[in-house]
Amino acid sequence: MAIAVRKASEGDIDIIAQALLESSRGGKRIGLFDLVFNTSENEVLLSLLKRLALTSTKSYCHFSNFFVAVENGTTLGTICGYEPRIATHEIFSKALEEIGFDETYHERIAAYLLCEGDVDNKTFVLDFMLVKPEFKSIDVYKELIGKSMLTARLKGYRKVQTPVEIGSVENELIYKKLGFEVIDEKRSEYYKEQFDRSGIMRLQMIL
């Protein structure tokens, strides 16, 4: 049976929370959400990320932005595809407020903000990709990313970008293999001190 990719539902909240946590860490000791929520307890973070993905405010972490790859009824992986002109930082802050967190998190993620790319309103963004270890193959990634790009094209977008940490070789190679090219990098010593990575690169594909 072929791999199918569908829009995520509330029933996919477990893998979505896992994707948010694991992709933000990218193999590091801490990631973005450790700092946002000021904790590195996995169970606490997963619980908070589930709540964040279910808020009435549709931030870029909302489940409605995710796609899920399935085969024979088994979930293989997920990816987030969102519109930055709609899912802004202000919307993210509003979603956090819904679950009891104020904007003081900005101070804790200052290093990330230094290296975050400037995305224009004509660009669709892919992020928070996770494929379960036992199902990792280029075919699964190709289906997830391809479905996301089709959605972007149907919404009228002609550019798709993804942020990848410098040093996250696996993700960089996957996107390059599927036709994305590096368009810029932002490096910071502050980022390196906090995350033990040099910074963030952006990869792009023109549709």
Side-chain angles (χ1 to χ4, degrees):
M1 189 173 177
I3 298 166
V5 178
R6 59 169 173 76
K7 289 283 287 181
S9 69
E10 293 185 21
D12 299 304
I13 200 66
D14 286 343
I15 193 171
I16 289 170
Q18 197 70 43
L20 289 166
L21 180 58
E22 289 191 25
S23 65
S24 67
R25 284 181 175 168
K28 308 185 304 298
R29 182 175 58 84
I30 64 168
L32 180 64
F33 293 110
D34 296 72
L35 299 177
V36 169
F37 294 117
N38 205 21
T39 179
S40 289
E41 293 290 332
N42 283 1
E43 292 307 312
V44 174
L45 282 169
L46 288 170
S47 176
L48 289 168
L49 288 167
K50 288 176 188 178
R51 291 172 60 197
L52 181 62
L54 291 169
T55 55
S56 59
T57 302
K58 294 184 179 181
S59 74
Y60 34 78
C61 298
H62 195 266
F63 77 87
S64 61
N65 292 317
F66 281 78
F67 299 91
V68 176
V70 294
E71 186 177 34
N72 294 326
T74 300
T75 299
L76 311 180
T78 187
I79 192 172
C80 177
Y82 69 93
E83 300 174 79
R85 65 183 181 85
I86 297 173
T88 62
H89 281 314
E90 290 75 21
I91 293 295
F92 180 67
S93 293
K94 186 177 176 183
L96 283 175
E97 285 175 13
E98 278 193 44
I99 61 172
F101 288 83
D102 60 30
E103 292 189 359
T104 55
Y105 77 90
H106 282 156
E107 299 169 14
R108 298 192 292 274
I109 67 166
Y112 172 82
L113 295 174
L114 280 173
C115 292
E116 185 183 35
D118 300 315
V119 182
D120 62 44
N121 287 338
K122 296 179 180 179
T123 300
F124 193 82
V125 172
L126 304 182
D127 206 346
F128 309 126
M129 181 169 63
L130 174 72
V131 173
K132 293 178 180 179
E134 63 269 34
F135 300 120
K136 282 188 176 182
S137 73
I138 194 62
D139 289 337
V140 179
Y141 289 112
K142 184 178 180 180
E143 292 299 323
L144 279 169
I145 292 169
K147 179 71 171 184
S148 305
M149 292 195 299
L150 175 61
T151 298
R153 191 179 293 114
L154 292 173
K155 288 178 176 288
Y157 288 94
R158 293 295 174 263
K159 291 187 295 182
V160 176
Q161 291 180 7
T162 186
V164 174
E165 259 188 334
I166 297 168
S168 293
V169 178
E170 183 180 42
N171 275 2
E172 181 184 350
L173 290 176
I174 288 165
Y175 278 106
K176 283 182 174 178
K177 192 166 185 177
L178 295 176
F180 284 70
E181 296 181 348
V182 176
I183 57 169
D184 64 25
E185 295 181 350
K186 285 191 177 182
R187 298 172 181 261
S188 163
E189 285 300 318
Y190 186 21
Y191 193 98
K192 191 170 185 177
E193 286 174 16
Q194 192 159 53
F195 296 111
D196 197 30
R197 295 280 173 84
S198 299
I200 299 172
M201 67 174 68
R202 280 191 301 164
L203 292 94
Q204 178 174 279
M205 178 185 279
I206 303 298
L207 299 177

